[in-house]
Amino acid sequence: MGIKRRSNPVVEQDGAGGGAEDLCCREDPAAAGGCGVWLGAEAAARGGNGARRFVSQRVLVESDVTAGIYLRELGTGIATIKFKNPPVNSLSLEFLTEFIICLEKLENDKTYRGLILTSDCPGIFSAGLDLREMCGKNLAHYAEYWRAIQETWLKLYLSNMVLVAAINGASPAGGCLMALSSDYRVLADNPRYRIGLNETLLGIVAPFWFKDVLVNTIGHRAAEHALQLGLLFQPTEALQVGMVDQVVPEDQVQSTALSVMTEWLAIPDHARQLTKSMMRKATADNLIKQREADIQNFVSFVSRDSIQKSLQVYLEKLKQKKH
């Protein structure tokens, strides 16, 4: 499938990989209790509508009681993880650590068979890698950060749960990777909500496993075109190329995600899980067998003087725009 080349401006981020400054909430990251991923599956009941939730600082996980009742005859439970790391849900090391812990808790709680990924920050799903984690740190920190990125992807991509991405905002770079790792993607119909792996626009090369996931999703030629040009697709374009499965009005993203979940959870878990593993294992193994080499490649690349200078210039420009 061909992709028409067009004007594709960089969407600027608040210190994160693909950039979404104009598309997200503009809160001070240090305000309102800091950034957050909230998780709502384990703690005692709290909040409205009887939803159970447990809270970490950067992730909100909620168990959807309405969905639980609706699907009760199927013996199912659905949790929702909402990214809450303002202003742009950048994938900081702290965010990733909390997200992994939340995901493991849900994975180990057999009450939950389905998980919806979405954002608590208006206008942004996730802006991707946090460039502040890649600039001015020591080599050990870069290695720790990249290992956390790898671990996050592996846990998402190989999860036994049904994962539905309810994409309610812009999703460049690492945010796009998280969405692509889901089993099904629903994107809000807003032309400002672009999605894609746009690393080349920032002078960065998408890792081979980012590439593998994109190729698996939209095919080799379309992926080659998109990766080299750093394309960010508007919703209709993302649907056409196969990057998302549905585009719906913004106020219907969550309800559509729940409806999709109904269909997926009607399939016996063992059959669906074995099929998912069969389809995805080779792609995951491609990273697993060379994780340390991939980490060293990242550390070697990001620690170059030229890359550090480029990141410093970019981050300084963002600071100046804030003032």
Side-chain angles (χ1 to χ4, degrees):
M1 180 185 304
I3 305 174
K4 182 172 70 174
R5 184 171 181 173
R6 65 192 186 289
S7 174
N8 189 24
V10 177
V11 184
E12 295 190 358
Q13 293 166 313
D14 183 55
E21 186 176 76
D22 294 334
L23 307 183
C24 67
C25 54
R26 299 173 179 269
E27 306 164 33
D28 181 350
C35 18
V37 182
W38 300 14
L39 184 67
E42 280 189 346
R46 42 188 283 167
N49 300 323
R52 289 190 299 154
R53 63 174 59 177
F54 63 89
V55 177
S56 75
Q57 199 177 7
R58 293 166 181 78
V59 182
L60 167 62
V61 181
E62 297 177 338
S63 111
D64 196 307
V65 172
T66 302
I69 293 173
Y70 180 51
L71 298 174
R72 182 165 293 167
E73 72 276 13
L74 301 178
T76 65
I78 299 172
T80 299
I81 286 185
K82 294 182 178 179
F83 308 145
K84 188 175 174 61
N85 194 11
V88 295
N89 287 335
S90 58
L91 304 179
S92 67
L93 182 57
E94 290 185 349
F95 176 96
L96 293 170
T97 301
E98 293 178 16
F99 180 79
I100 290 169
I101 291 171
C102 291
L103 197 59
E104 287 177 342
K105 288 180 177 179
L106 289 176
E107 199 79 50
N108 292 331
D109 183 346
K110 300 310 177 184
T111 303
Y112 295 97
R113 298 173 57 215
L115 174 61
I116 295 172
L117 299 177
T118 192
S119 170
D120 195 57
C121 185
I124 181 71
F125 182 71
S126 172
L129 305 187
D130 191 334
L131 298 184
R132 292 165 297 192
E133 302 283 5
M134 302 161 56
C135 185
K137 310 287 198 231
N138 59 43
L139 300 185
H141 181 88
Y142 299 146
E144 181 184 11
Y145 182 58
W146 198 245
R147 185 172 284 106
I149 294 287
Q150 292 176 336
E151 188 69 15
T152 298
W153 175 69
L154 288 170
K155 288 194 177 299
L156 280 175
Y157 196 64
L158 298 176
S159 174
N160 281 324
M161 292 183 290
V162 176
L163 266 56
V164 176
I167 309 167
N168 54 346
S171 188
C176 176
L177 179 73
M178 295 184 80
L180 292 177
S181 302
S182 302
D183 298 296
Y184 198 94
R185 290 164 289 282
V186 180
L187 176 59
D189 191 6
N190 184 325
R192 299 180 69 189
Y193 295 173
R194 296 188 174 193
I195 183 171
L197 297 177
N198 63 326
E199 282 80 357
T200 55
L201 298 183
L202 298 172
I204 299 172
V205 178
F208 69 87
W209 40 284
F210 283 47
K211 177 267 297 181
D212 289 345
V213 176
L214 187 63
V215 169
N216 290 349
T217 306
I218 67 175
H220 192 280
R221 175 56 185 147
E224 181 180 3
H225 193 168
L227 285 169
Q228 290 196 51
L229 296 179
L231 296 180
L232 289 169
F233 296 91
Q234 292 185 352
T236 53
E237 298 167 329
L239 180 64
Q240 181 181 19
V241 79
M243 189 168 286
V244 299
D245 300 293
Q246 283 194 63
V247 172
V248 301
E250 197 160 353
D251 61 356
Q252 296 178 24
V253 171
Q254 299 298 326
S255 60
T256 301
L258 286 171
S259 177
V260 167
M261 190 69 77
T262 308
E263 178 181 357
W264 283 71
L265 292 182
I267 305 300
D269 281 346
H270 69 282
R272 182 192 56 76
Q273 290 168 358
L274 286 172
T275 301
K276 181 175 182 176
S277 177
M278 175 178 65
M279 296 298 296
R280 296 190 171 199
K281 186 176 185 299
T283 300
D285 284 348
N286 198 26
L287 171 61
I288 292 170
K289 68 185 180 183
Q290 50 187 323
R291 282 189 74 171
E292 292 306 315
D294 182 59
I295 290 171
Q296 292 307 312
N297 286 339
F298 171 78
V299 171
S300 175
F301 175 79
V302 79
S303 61
R304 293 177 186 172
D305 288 342
S306 59
I307 299 300
Q308 286 294 303
K309 288 177 182 177
S310 295
L311 291 174
Q312 289 167 5
V313 169
Y314 183 73
L315 290 172
E316 187 59 37
K317 286 182 179 178
L318 289 181
K319 287 181 181 179
Q320 292 173 0
K321 285 194 173 186
K322 286 184 179 180
H323 297 96

